[in-house]
Amino acid sequence: MIGRLWRRLRGRRDRKRWKDLSDASFSELQDYVESEVLTGDLKDTEEKIRGAFGNSSDLTLRYVNLGANPRVQILVAHLDGMVDVVSLTNGVIRPILEGTLYASEHISKEPPRRKVAYALLKQQLIHISTVKETDSLEKALEYIGRGFAVLFVEGVSRGLACEVKGWAERDVAEPGTEATVRGPRQGFVENSRVNTSMLRRMIVSPLLWVEEMQVGAITKTTITIAHIKGIADDGVVEEVRRRIRSIEVDSILESGYIEEYIEDAPYSPFPTILRTERPDKVAAALLEGKVAIITDGTPFALVVPATFTSFFVASEDYYERYFTGTFMRLLRIVAFFVSLISPSIYVAITTFHQEMLPTPLILSIAAQREGVPFVAVIEALFLELSFEFLREAGIRLPKVIGPAISIVGALILGEAAVRAGLVSSALVIVVAATSMASFISPIYSMAINVHLLRFPILFLAGSLGLFGVIMGLSAILIHLSSLRSFGVPYLEPLSPIVFPEWKDSLIRLPLWMMDTRPKLTAKKEFIRQDPKQKPRAPDKGSGDEADGQQ
Amino acid sequence: MPKPSNRLSLVILTILLLLLGGCWNRREVESLAFVMAAGIDKAAEGGKVQVTVQIARPAALVSGGQGSGAMERAFWLVSSTGYTPFDAVRNFSMQSSRRLFWAHNQWLVLGEEMAKEGIQDILDFSIRDGETRRRVKLAVFKSGKASDFLQTELEMERLSSQAYIGILQTGSLSSSSVVDIDIHHFLLALAGEGIEPVAIRAEMIHRPPDIDIRGQIEQIDISSAPRIAGAAVFRGPKLVGWLDRPETRGYNWVVGKAKSSIVVVERPDAPTKYVGIEMIRAGSKIKSEFTNGKPKITITIRAEGAVGDIQDMFVVMDTKTAVASMERQMATVITNDINAALKKARELGSDIFGLGQSIYQGYPKEWKQLRDTWNDEGFKEVEVKIEVKANIRRSGLTEIGTPVRR
């Protein structure tokens, strides 16, 4: 109390006006706001709020009176556009105005009248279910900024924040980046509360624990950590909490920011954190003992720990039957290699190892390359770069001209370049196949990173042939083996070998075969289902009575 | 673990190393001359060899197909001389704008003259260099210099080397009157105990123009055409003679390579009509034994055939005895072929079948005494017993002897 008194006195003493701070830096202003204190003086509070928000036209302040005689004045502050006007009116304003008579009685009966008025407001009048209190200006400003309506009662140096949030948001729609043929078509949205509700719908247990924290000094983004208590490793959960808590930045705009601040291998081209837009994927991961991180403001949730094989898994693998699922997985692995090394293999073989191709093929390639002025490496580099231009441009083209230009671009580029003798047609096909293959991985972050690794391998192929390619692949393999994601080795279950988990990595065995959860993420709750789940014919003697057992 | 700053410099150093080293051994595809077939002859100048190579022209192969007027030749023939084949190959650089690339070479053709003098001086190039391969077919050209053979062109393939490979494959499959020998097997026989090498026999034969209508290729002399048939018999590194088609068949029977060949027998009930029987299985075993200090060889042939063709099916053949009779005839035909081959080989003084090898494998001590004079004496005198177990298993879609109503 002494401290509070002292702060008030000091605040009064060397109090600067907002206009004195007109060319102060952000942190100076921030410090000033932190040092300010709520007084019971409404005019003073109004001045402070207006000073902080400046000339912002969405700031709305309104005075209402509670009680008739004696009357207590209340200041209502909110941001237009951030509140749901109906709730504000019906839940806050109307009860105050209609409860005036009732309030009058109570206020006159028991002094001090302002404190009584405040208590009345808080406990009986406001028709909003979530109501928070604060006695710091900074927190009150934050509540205003978050779409709360903050009420200040004259003479009471506290603010009462009522949750009347309501703003324009995107509807739940099919995830843009991970569409499936079969499976739920819901994707996360930008509101983290809605996202957690989607998870709750899938996992009905109360043991799905959802914790919030705020990261980002200016954006104060809500980060939600979800895990299933009892399946997830508490050590991993604590580590996630610790890492997020230690992020000190001014803004978190997307989960990618979080990803970069907490990942295990910041320099590696390979992502160690999975990101996804699909709630069913997150739910499946949670059930395996992984931890999900949901960031407000982006539909992309993060899942840790993530291993290499998890980037080649699409939720569709599980919704189709095992045969399709396995084939799709193997296709993705093949596509991974194709997108990584095809142009390099072509360059290496035609430049260093011509004896490896069958004679008709090498003669055909030699014929195509007559007249091409460039060395094979340069040709490959040139074509790969052009395709990168095309791809990147294609992302930003408006939807109306996009398809036309991309078709024209690809066809003309390829065809004309061959005609002009700049490139050989075999290489055009190789590069096109590479680009196609790079989009097969369902997780874009992995696909694009791997796709870019092909450039160093191309250089190696051009200088050292297949030996160089193998060197590059070995370097990548060594690097992958050394990666860990929140304690789990990246190449698990391939190295270290964990045979039971092979059922769900490169292939997908039928669901009734997968009795166990992955060992490293779900040690505690290992068994997932009864081992005898395979559908089979009913035992003899359990037929209907109507089958005629006389 | 080096400090992070040291780690980074390590990475940069590695990258610089790569750039510094450059890319040695880099050969751009368009700077290579793909050798499709090679021939070695005695050069006009004494003591030298002449190497002729057939180089593919990729541009002609891909585009000039539906030619306007004369088709472009798919290959380029060029010769060079030198003291050894290696020297001659190096001398090609004076005539060829591209470096010769031997990895796709499929043929090594030798002139008859050169082969007669002995090929021990020219084989080393094919073995020692890393780019030449041992799977290259080895042939001897009977009618002149190897370079003449390399000039020939055949229908159906733009490159004659490919065409001849095809002939070998279909030839050994369907008639087994050719031998399919590459340098590797030649060397095995050359170095092996008690066996002499054979090579592919290539020659030009005369063919009346109206039987073989050629395409648009301009040819000066249409009356002769190249052919691969038979075998060239070597004794050590020297050519000593030739096997013709029936003898080659016999040879193939003995070495167990007669699969898919045809044996023609007479119809048991009508000796002027023939039955063609296709071999579906043909195996041989050579066993040697010593009786009274004298070697004796038993060649066991197991032949299974399927009836391919019967002339004039009017007369019904009784099945059981007909089949038995045909089998007996099969055995006779095979035995005759083998005997012919044996006779020729004995004449030429070269044990190409590996009978000596069989003795060496079974009785090495006795072989030591025989080996020096084997080809001239032992081989000619050794008792060879031929046992043929012939069997007709199938007869196609109809039973033997479907009547035709007259």
Side-chain angles (χ1 to χ4, degrees), chain A residues 350-352 354-355 357 359 362-364 366-367 369-370 372 375-376 460 462-464, chain B residues 18 23-30 32 34 36 56 58 61-62 98 101 103-104 159:
Chain A
T350 57
T351 313
F352 290 87
Q354 294 89 354
E355 61 267 14
L357 290 178
T359 311
I362 194 69
L363 289 177
S364 168
R369 297 214 67 226
E370 302 261 340
V372 173
V375 149
L460 280 172
S463 50
L464 294 172
Chain B
L18 279 176
C23 21
W24 69 93
N25 272 9
R26 181 172 67 81
R27 315 178 280 242
E28 286 300 320
V29 146
E30 59 269 21
L32 296 176
F34 290 93
M36 294 285 121
L61 282 170
V62 166
R98 300 185 181 190
F101 187 62
H104 288 277
L159 284 169

mmCIF file of all heavy atoms in Angstrom, chain A residues 350-352 354-355 357 359 362-364 366-367 369-370 372 375-376 460 462-464, chain B residues 18 23-30 32 34 36 56 58 61-62 98 101 103-104 159:
data_model
loop_
_atom_site.group_PDB
_atom_site.id
_atom_site.type_symbol
_atom_site.label_atom_id
_atom_site.label_comp_id
_atom_site.label_asym_id
_atom_site.label_seq_id
_atom_site.Cartn_x
_atom_site.Cartn_y
_atom_site.Cartn_z
ATOM 1 N N THR A 350 25.549 -37.843 -68.021
ATOM 2 C CA THR A 350 25.911 -37.450 -69.384
ATOM 3 C C THR A 350 27.248 -36.759 -69.433
ATOM 4 O O THR A 350 27.812 -36.605 -70.502
ATOM 5 C CB THR A 350 24.859 -36.519 -70.011
ATOM 6 O OG1 THR A 350 24.714 -35.380 -69.172
ATOM 7 C CG2 THR A 350 23.543 -37.210 -70.171
ATOM 8 N N THR A 351 27.764 -36.327 -68.291
ATOM 9 C CA THR A 351 29.046 -35.643 -68.339
ATOM 10 C C THR A 351 30.208 -36.534 -67.945
ATOM 11 O O THR A 351 31.318 -36.362 -68.402
ATOM 12 C CB THR A 351 29.013 -34.430 -67.388
ATOM 13 O OG1 THR A 351 27.822 -33.711 -67.611
ATOM 14 C CG2 THR A 351 30.191 -33.525 -67.621
ATOM 15 N N PHE A 352 29.968 -37.479 -67.058
ATOM 16 C CA PHE A 352 31.070 -38.276 -66.550
ATOM 17 C C PHE A 352 30.919 -39.762 -66.819
ATOM 18 O O PHE A 352 31.897 -40.475 -66.886
ATOM 19 C CB PHE A 352 31.187 -38.093 -65.036
ATOM 20 C CG PHE A 352 31.658 -36.739 -64.625
ATOM 21 C CD1 PHE A 352 30.775 -35.705 -64.454
ATOM 22 C CD2 PHE A 352 33.001 -36.510 -64.422
ATOM 23 C CE1 PHE A 352 31.217 -34.452 -64.080
ATOM 24 C CE2 PHE A 352 33.448 -35.264 -64.043
ATOM 25 C CZ PHE A 352 32.556 -34.227 -63.864
ATOM 26 N N GLN A 354 29.122 -41.704 -69.340
ATOM 27 C CA GLN A 354 28.310 -42.019 -70.511
ATOM 28 C C GLN A 354 28.174 -43.512 -70.738
ATOM 29 O O GLN A 354 27.307 -43.947 -71.481
ATOM 30 C CB GLN A 354 28.909 -41.389 -71.775
ATOM 31 C CG GLN A 354 28.885 -39.884 -71.802
ATOM 32 C CD GLN A 354 30.118 -39.293 -71.187
ATOM 33 O OE1 GLN A 354 30.954 -40.021 -70.643
ATOM 34 N NE2 GLN A 354 30.264 -37.995 -71.274
ATOM 35 N N GLU A 355 29.052 -44.291 -70.113
ATOM 36 C CA GLU A 355 28.955 -45.730 -70.357
ATOM 37 C C GLU A 355 27.790 -46.371 -69.635
ATOM 38 O O GLU A 355 27.473 -47.524 -69.853
ATOM 39 C CB GLU A 355 30.244 -46.428 -69.938
ATOM 40 C CG GLU A 355 30.583 -46.280 -68.482
ATOM 41 C CD GLU A 355 31.492 -45.089 -68.244
ATOM 42 O OE1 GLU A 355 31.617 -44.263 -69.157
ATOM 43 O OE2 GLU A 355 32.055 -44.990 -67.149
ATOM 44 N N LEU A 357 24.599 -45.458 -69.739
ATOM 45 C CA LEU A 357 23.314 -45.441 -70.422
ATOM 46 C C LEU A 357 23.314 -46.432 -71.568
ATOM 47 O O LEU A 357 24.348 -46.677 -72.167
ATOM 48 C CB LEU A 357 23.035 -44.044 -70.963
ATOM 49 C CG LEU A 357 22.729 -42.975 -69.916
ATOM 50 C CD1 LEU A 357 22.534 -41.655 -70.601
ATOM 51 C CD2 LEU A 357 21.504 -43.349 -69.139
ATOM 52 N N THR A 359 23.050 -47.742 -75.302
ATOM 53 C CA THR A 359 23.570 -47.058 -76.483
ATOM 54 C C THR A 359 22.534 -46.204 -77.211
ATOM 55 O O THR A 359 22.823 -45.050 -77.521
ATOM 56 C CB THR A 359 24.176 -48.088 -77.451
ATOM 57 O OG1 THR A 359 25.038 -48.933 -76.710
ATOM 58 C CG2 THR A 359 24.952 -47.395 -78.546
ATOM 59 N N ILE A 362 22.055 -42.930 -75.248
ATOM 60 C CA ILE A 362 23.140 -41.956 -75.228
ATOM 61 C C ILE A 362 23.297 -41.316 -76.592
ATOM 62 O O ILE A 362 23.615 -40.131 -76.710
ATOM 63 C CB ILE A 362 24.450 -42.607 -74.715
ATOM 64 C CG1 ILE A 362 25.465 -41.538 -74.361
ATOM 65 C CG2 ILE A 362 25.066 -43.514 -75.744
ATOM 66 C CD1 ILE A 362 25.096 -40.733 -73.169
ATOM 67 N N LEU A 363 23.033 -42.092 -77.661
ATOM 68 C CA LEU A 363 23.118 -41.499 -78.980
ATOM 69 C C LEU A 363 22.019 -40.457 -79.171
ATOM 70 O O LEU A 363 22.245 -39.398 -79.758
ATOM 71 C CB LEU A 363 23.008 -42.587 -80.057
ATOM 72 C CG LEU A 363 24.226 -43.500 -80.148
ATOM 73 C CD1 LEU A 363 23.989 -44.570 -81.180
ATOM 74 C CD2 LEU A 363 25.468 -42.715 -80.508
ATOM 75 N N SER A 364 20.839 -40.750 -78.641
ATOM 76 C CA SER A 364 19.751 -39.783 -78.747
ATOM 77 C C SER A 364 20.093 -38.510 -77.989
ATOM 78 O O SER A 364 19.862 -37.404 -78.469
ATOM 79 C CB SER A 364 18.476 -40.432 -78.212
ATOM 80 O OG SER A 364 17.474 -39.483 -78.033
ATOM 81 N N ALA A 366 23.063 -37.439 -77.308
ATOM 82 C CA ALA A 366 24.139 -36.753 -78.027
ATOM 83 C C ALA A 366 23.566 -35.972 -79.197
ATOM 84 O O ALA A 366 23.992 -34.842 -79.475
ATOM 85 C CB ALA A 366 25.167 -37.763 -78.513
ATOM 86 N N ALA A 367 22.572 -36.569 -79.863
ATOM 87 C CA ALA A 367 21.973 -35.870 -81.001
ATOM 88 C C ALA A 367 21.275 -34.604 -80.528
ATOM 89 O O ALA A 367 21.374 -33.557 -81.174
ATOM 90 C CB ALA A 367 20.983 -36.791 -81.708
ATOM 91 N N ARG A 369 22.012 -32.789 -78.089
ATOM 92 C CA ARG A 369 22.906 -31.764 -77.582
ATOM 93 C C ARG A 369 23.798 -31.169 -78.648
ATOM 94 O O ARG A 369 24.597 -30.297 -78.360
ATOM 95 C CB ARG A 369 23.758 -32.343 -76.464
ATOM 96 C CG ARG A 369 22.932 -32.770 -75.295
ATOM 97 C CD ARG A 369 23.620 -32.573 -74.002
ATOM 98 N NE ARG A 369 23.812 -31.183 -73.711
ATOM 99 C CZ ARG A 369 24.933 -30.663 -73.280
ATOM 100 N NH1 ARG A 369 25.976 -31.426 -73.072
ATOM 101 N NH2 ARG A 369 25.014 -29.389 -73.038
ATOM 102 N N GLU A 370 23.654 -31.664 -79.881
ATOM 103 C CA GLU A 370 24.427 -31.029 -80.944
ATOM 104 C C GLU A 370 23.966 -29.603 -81.072
ATOM 105 O O GLU A 370 22.791 -29.334 -81.190
ATOM 106 C CB GLU A 370 24.171 -31.728 -82.271
ATOM 107 C CG GLU A 370 24.497 -33.195 -82.297
ATOM 108 C CD GLU A 370 25.841 -33.458 -82.907
ATOM 109 O OE1 GLU A 370 26.333 -32.590 -83.619
ATOM 110 O OE2 GLU A 370 26.400 -34.525 -82.658
ATOM 111 N N VAL A 372 23.986 -27.278 -78.885
ATOM 112 C CA VAL A 372 23.707 -26.551 -77.642
ATOM 113 C C VAL A 372 25.027 -25.991 -77.138
ATOM 114 O O VAL A 372 25.978 -26.729 -76.939
ATOM 115 C CB VAL A 372 23.099 -27.490 -76.584
ATOM 116 C CG1 VAL A 372 22.986 -26.765 -75.263
ATOM 117 C CG2 VAL A 372 21.751 -27.975 -77.039
ATOM 118 N N VAL A 375 27.501 -26.089 -71.455
ATOM 119 C CA VAL A 375 27.862 -27.316 -70.778
ATOM 120 C C VAL A 375 26.624 -27.828 -70.030
ATOM 121 O O VAL A 375 25.750 -27.052 -69.684
ATOM 122 C CB VAL A 375 29.015 -26.972 -69.813
ATOM 123 C CG1 VAL A 375 29.016 -27.828 -68.603
ATOM 124 C CG2 VAL A 375 30.316 -27.002 -70.537
ATOM 125 N N ALA A 376 26.547 -29.139 -69.815
ATOM 126 C CA ALA A 376 25.320 -29.711 -69.243
ATOM 127 C C ALA A 376 24.931 -29.074 -67.908
ATOM 128 O O ALA A 376 23.750 -28.856 -67.638
ATOM 129 C CB ALA A 376 25.496 -31.218 -69.077
ATOM 130 N N LEU A 460 27.753 -30.224 -57.298
ATOM 131 C CA LEU A 460 28.609 -31.370 -57.019
ATOM 132 C C LEU A 460 28.599 -32.345 -58.185
ATOM 133 O O LEU A 460 29.628 -32.907 -58.553
ATOM 134 C CB LEU A 460 28.133 -32.089 -55.753
ATOM 135 C CG LEU A 460 28.566 -31.457 -54.439
ATOM 136 C CD1 LEU A 460 27.874 -32.146 -53.290
ATOM 137 C CD2 LEU A 460 30.064 -31.578 -54.299
ATOM 138 N N GLY A 462 28.078 -31.667 -61.300
ATOM 139 C CA GLY A 462 28.795 -31.119 -62.435
ATOM 140 C C GLY A 462 30.294 -31.136 -62.262
ATOM 141 O O GLY A 462 31.043 -31.162 -63.230
ATOM 142 N N SER A 463 30.741 -31.148 -61.010
ATOM 143 C CA SER A 463 32.192 -31.144 -60.847
ATOM 144 C C SER A 463 32.753 -32.514 -60.538
ATOM 145 O O SER A 463 33.888 -32.812 -60.895
ATOM 146 C CB SER A 463 32.590 -30.153 -59.754
ATOM 147 O OG SER A 463 31.831 -30.384 -58.600
ATOM 148 N N LEU A 464 31.982 -33.355 -59.895
ATOM 149 C CA LEU A 464 32.560 -34.638 -59.506
ATOM 150 C C LEU A 464 31.725 -35.829 -59.942
ATOM 151 O O LEU A 464 31.960 -36.925 -59.488
ATOM 152 C CB LEU A 464 32.732 -34.696 -57.976
ATOM 153 C CG LEU A 464 33.740 -33.709 -57.405
ATOM 154 C CD1 LEU A 464 33.681 -33.736 -55.895
ATOM 155 C CD2 LEU A 464 35.130 -34.054 -57.873
ATOM 156 N N LEU B 18 36.385 -27.578 -53.723
ATOM 157 C CA LEU B 18 35.684 -28.109 -54.886
ATOM 158 C C LEU B 18 35.910 -27.219 -56.098
ATOM 159 O O LEU B 18 36.157 -27.686 -57.197
ATOM 160 C CB LEU B 18 34.194 -28.190 -54.587
ATOM 161 C CG LEU B 18 33.730 -29.404 -53.794
ATOM 162 C CD1 LEU B 18 32.254 -29.275 -53.495
ATOM 163 C CD2 LEU B 18 33.975 -30.650 -54.589
ATOM 164 N N CYS B 23 36.720 -29.654 -62.498
ATOM 165 C CA CYS B 23 36.061 -30.929 -62.733
ATOM 166 C C CYS B 23 36.859 -31.716 -63.756
ATOM 167 O O CYS B 23 36.624 -31.624 -64.944
ATOM 168 C CB CYS B 23 34.641 -30.726 -63.173
ATOM 169 S SG CYS B 23 34.314 -29.090 -63.848
ATOM 170 N N TRP B 24 37.802 -32.491 -63.282
ATOM 171 C CA TRP B 24 38.575 -33.307 -64.210
ATOM 172 C C TRP B 24 37.715 -34.499 -64.611
ATOM 173 O O TRP B 24 36.729 -34.789 -63.994
ATOM 174 C CB TRP B 24 39.877 -33.740 -63.549
ATOM 175 C CG TRP B 24 39.706 -34.722 -62.438
ATOM 176 C CD1 TRP B 24 39.748 -36.086 -62.528
ATOM 177 C CD2 TRP B 24 39.448 -34.428 -61.065
ATOM 178 N NE1 TRP B 24 39.545 -36.646 -61.296
ATOM 179 C CE2 TRP B 24 39.372 -35.655 -60.377
ATOM 180 C CE3 TRP B 24 39.289 -33.245 -60.322
ATOM 181 C CZ2 TRP B 24 39.152 -35.737 -59.020
ATOM 182 C CZ3 TRP B 24 39.063 -33.325 -58.966
ATOM 183 C CH2 TRP B 24 39.000 -34.562 -58.321
ATOM 184 N N ASN B 25 38.104 -35.151 -65.658
ATOM 185 C CA ASN B 25 37.340 -36.279 -66.183
ATOM 186 C C ASN B 25 35.986 -35.888 -66.739
ATOM 187 O O ASN B 25 35.151 -36.732 -66.993
ATOM 188 C CB ASN B 25 37.096 -37.345 -65.100
ATOM 189 C CG ASN B 25 38.224 -38.325 -65.049
ATOM 190 O OD1 ASN B 25 39.231 -38.110 -65.684
ATOM 191 N ND2 ASN B 25 38.035 -39.393 -64.321
ATOM 192 N N ARG B 26 35.796 -34.608 -66.919
ATOM 193 C CA ARG B 26 34.509 -34.207 -67.446
ATOM 194 C C ARG B 26 34.536 -34.325 -68.960
ATOM 195 O O ARG B 26 35.404 -33.777 -69.609
ATOM 196 C CB ARG B 26 34.236 -32.757 -67.025
ATOM 197 C CG ARG B 26 32.923 -32.229 -67.478
ATOM 198 C CD ARG B 26 32.655 -30.877 -66.854
ATOM 199 N NE ARG B 26 33.571 -29.876 -67.346
ATOM 200 C CZ ARG B 26 33.432 -29.262 -68.486
ATOM 201 N NH1 ARG B 26 32.425 -29.559 -69.265
ATOM 202 N NH2 ARG B 26 34.294 -28.356 -68.853
ATOM 203 N N ARG B 27 33.588 -35.068 -69.493
ATOM 204 C CA ARG B 27 33.519 -35.174 -70.943
ATOM 205 C C ARG B 27 32.111 -34.816 -71.348
ATOM 206 O O ARG B 27 31.175 -35.510 -70.972
ATOM 207 C CB ARG B 27 33.757 -36.611 -71.395
ATOM 208 C CG ARG B 27 34.897 -37.329 -70.735
ATOM 209 C CD ARG B 27 34.941 -38.733 -71.268
ATOM 210 N NE ARG B 27 33.952 -39.581 -70.624
ATOM 211 C CZ ARG B 27 34.269 -40.651 -69.904
ATOM 212 N NH1 ARG B 27 35.521 -40.969 -69.726
ATOM 213 N NH2 ARG B 27 33.320 -41.399 -69.375
ATOM 214 N N GLU B 28 31.988 -33.789 -72.100
ATOM 215 C CA GLU B 28 30.658 -33.452 -72.588
ATOM 216 C C GLU B 28 30.270 -34.430 -73.680
ATOM 217 O O GLU B 28 31.088 -34.821 -74.502
ATOM 218 C CB GLU B 28 30.637 -32.025 -73.137
ATOM 219 C CG GLU B 28 30.683 -30.984 -72.052
ATOM 220 C CD GLU B 28 29.496 -31.089 -71.095
ATOM 221 O OE1 GLU B 28 28.375 -31.333 -71.566
ATOM 222 O OE2 GLU B 28 29.703 -30.949 -69.882
ATOM 223 N N VAL B 29 29.005 -34.778 -73.671
ATOM 224 C CA VAL B 29 28.532 -35.799 -74.597
ATOM 225 C C VAL B 29 28.810 -35.427 -76.048
ATOM 226 O O VAL B 29 29.153 -36.280 -76.873
ATOM 227 C CB VAL B 29 27.027 -36.035 -74.346
ATOM 228 C CG1 VAL B 29 26.308 -36.356 -75.605
ATOM 229 C CG2 VAL B 29 26.838 -37.124 -73.344
ATOM 230 N N GLU B 30 28.700 -34.152 -76.368
ATOM 231 C CA GLU B 30 28.878 -33.796 -77.779
ATOM 232 C C GLU B 30 30.340 -33.723 -78.179
ATOM 233 O O GLU B 30 30.651 -33.483 -79.327
ATOM 234 C CB GLU B 30 28.192 -32.457 -78.088
ATOM 235 C CG GLU B 30 28.688 -31.302 -77.270
ATOM 236 C CD GLU B 30 27.885 -31.133 -75.998
ATOM 237 O OE1 GLU B 30 27.250 -32.119 -75.579
ATOM 238 O OE2 GLU B 30 27.899 -30.049 -75.439
ATOM 239 N N LEU B 32 32.256 -36.344 -77.763
ATOM 240 C CA LEU B 32 32.680 -37.731 -77.864
ATOM 241 C C LEU B 32 32.313 -38.309 -79.207
ATOM 242 O O LEU B 32 31.267 -37.999 -79.761
ATOM 243 C CB LEU B 32 32.006 -38.580 -76.778
ATOM 244 C CG LEU B 32 32.376 -38.231 -75.356
ATOM 245 C CD1 LEU B 32 31.558 -39.080 -74.413
ATOM 246 C CD2 LEU B 32 33.845 -38.461 -75.117
ATOM 247 N N PHE B 34 31.336 -41.807 -80.565
ATOM 248 C CA PHE B 34 30.946 -43.116 -80.053
ATOM 249 C C PHE B 34 31.352 -44.203 -81.044
ATOM 250 O O PHE B 34 30.834 -44.265 -82.150
ATOM 251 C CB PHE B 34 29.436 -43.166 -79.827
ATOM 252 C CG PHE B 34 28.997 -42.311 -78.680
ATOM 253 C CD1 PHE B 34 28.586 -41.008 -78.880
ATOM 254 C CD2 PHE B 34 29.020 -42.810 -77.396
ATOM 255 C CE1 PHE B 34 28.199 -40.222 -77.820
ATOM 256 C CE2 PHE B 34 28.635 -42.025 -76.332
ATOM 257 C CZ PHE B 34 28.221 -40.728 -76.530
ATOM 258 N N MET B 36 31.139 -47.683 -82.522
ATOM 259 C CA MET B 36 30.138 -48.742 -82.508
ATOM 260 C C MET B 36 30.758 -50.089 -82.833
ATOM 261 O O MET B 36 30.307 -51.114 -82.356
ATOM 262 C CB MET B 36 29.044 -48.438 -83.517
ATOM 263 C CG MET B 36 28.230 -47.230 -83.161
ATOM 264 S SD MET B 36 27.097 -47.612 -81.822
ATOM 265 C CE MET B 36 27.616 -46.441 -80.632
ATOM 266 N N ALA B 56 29.394 -43.616 -84.696
ATOM 267 C CA ALA B 56 27.989 -43.263 -84.920
ATOM 268 C C ALA B 56 27.843 -41.774 -85.109
ATOM 269 O O ALA B 56 28.542 -40.977 -84.485
ATOM 270 C CB ALA B 56 27.154 -43.711 -83.732
ATOM 271 N N PRO B 58 25.167 -39.220 -84.361
ATOM 272 C CA PRO B 58 23.876 -39.127 -83.664
ATOM 273 C C PRO B 58 22.865 -38.269 -84.411
ATOM 274 O O PRO B 58 21.691 -38.590 -84.453
ATOM 275 C CB PRO B 58 24.224 -38.478 -82.330
ATOM 276 C CG PRO B 58 25.679 -38.636 -82.182
ATOM 277 C CD PRO B 58 26.259 -38.712 -83.530
ATOM 278 N N LEU B 61 21.159 -40.242 -86.942
ATOM 279 C CA LEU B 61 20.320 -41.297 -86.406
ATOM 280 C C LEU B 61 18.968 -40.765 -85.980
ATOM 281 O O LEU B 61 17.948 -41.397 -86.153
ATOM 282 C CB LEU B 61 21.001 -41.920 -85.179
ATOM 283 C CG LEU B 61 22.106 -42.895 -85.480
ATOM 284 C CD1 LEU B 61 22.828 -43.241 -84.215
ATOM 285 C CD2 LEU B 61 21.516 -44.127 -86.105
ATOM 286 N N VAL B 62 18.983 -39.577 -85.404
ATOM 287 C CA VAL B 62 17.725 -39.083 -84.851
ATOM 288 C C VAL B 62 16.857 -38.432 -85.904
ATOM 289 O O VAL B 62 15.703 -38.758 -86.085
ATOM 290 C CB VAL B 62 18.020 -38.073 -83.719
ATOM 291 C CG1 VAL B 62 16.790 -37.307 -83.364
ATOM 292 C CG2 VAL B 62 18.529 -38.825 -82.522
ATOM 293 N N ARG B 98 36.534 -35.379 -82.593
ATOM 294 C CA ARG B 98 36.061 -35.766 -81.271
ATOM 295 C C ARG B 98 36.882 -36.916 -80.746
ATOM 296 O O ARG B 98 37.428 -37.712 -81.498
ATOM 297 C CB ARG B 98 34.594 -36.192 -81.352
ATOM 298 C CG ARG B 98 33.726 -35.080 -81.850
ATOM 299 C CD ARG B 98 32.286 -35.483 -81.805
ATOM 300 N NE ARG B 98 31.444 -34.406 -82.301
ATOM 301 C CZ ARG B 98 30.133 -34.403 -82.209
ATOM 302 N NH1 ARG B 98 29.523 -35.419 -81.648
ATOM 303 N NH2 ARG B 98 29.439 -33.398 -82.689
ATOM 304 N N PHE B 101 35.266 -42.691 -78.020
ATOM 305 C CA PHE B 101 34.715 -43.191 -76.764
ATOM 306 C C PHE B 101 34.380 -44.657 -76.962
ATOM 307 O O PHE B 101 33.496 -45.010 -77.738
ATOM 308 C CB PHE B 101 33.466 -42.381 -76.404
ATOM 309 C CG PHE B 101 32.922 -42.707 -75.043
ATOM 310 C CD1 PHE B 101 33.685 -42.495 -73.912
ATOM 311 C CD2 PHE B 101 31.657 -43.236 -74.901
ATOM 312 C CE1 PHE B 101 33.188 -42.796 -72.654
ATOM 313 C CE2 PHE B 101 31.150 -43.538 -73.654
ATOM 314 C CZ PHE B 101 31.918 -43.314 -72.526
ATOM 315 N N ALA B 103 33.317 -47.039 -74.771
ATOM 316 C CA ALA B 103 32.466 -47.786 -73.844
ATOM 317 C C ALA B 103 31.244 -48.390 -74.515
ATOM 318 O O ALA B 103 30.656 -49.329 -73.990
ATOM 319 C CB ALA B 103 32.042 -46.899 -72.690
ATOM 320 N N HIS B 104 30.856 -47.852 -75.644
ATOM 321 C CA HIS B 104 29.673 -48.416 -76.302
ATOM 322 C C HIS B 104 30.040 -49.293 -77.494
ATOM 323 O O HIS B 104 29.158 -49.680 -78.255
ATOM 324 C CB HIS B 104 28.741 -47.292 -76.764
ATOM 325 C CG HIS B 104 28.041 -46.623 -75.633
ATOM 326 N ND1 HIS B 104 26.896 -47.132 -75.086
ATOM 327 C CD2 HIS B 104 28.351 -45.511 -74.929
ATOM 328 C CE1 HIS B 104 26.520 -46.342 -74.096
ATOM 329 N NE2 HIS B 104 27.382 -45.358 -73.977
ATOM 330 N N LEU B 159 22.569 -48.653 -87.818
ATOM 331 C CA LEU B 159 23.963 -48.948 -87.536
ATOM 332 C C LEU B 159 24.208 -50.424 -87.748
ATOM 333 O O LEU B 159 23.544 -51.253 -87.143
ATOM 334 C CB LEU B 159 24.281 -48.609 -86.082
ATOM 335 C CG LEU B 159 24.432 -47.138 -85.765
ATOM 336 C CD1 LEU B 159 24.482 -46.968 -84.259
ATOM 337 C CD2 LEU B 159 25.696 -46.597 -86.384
#
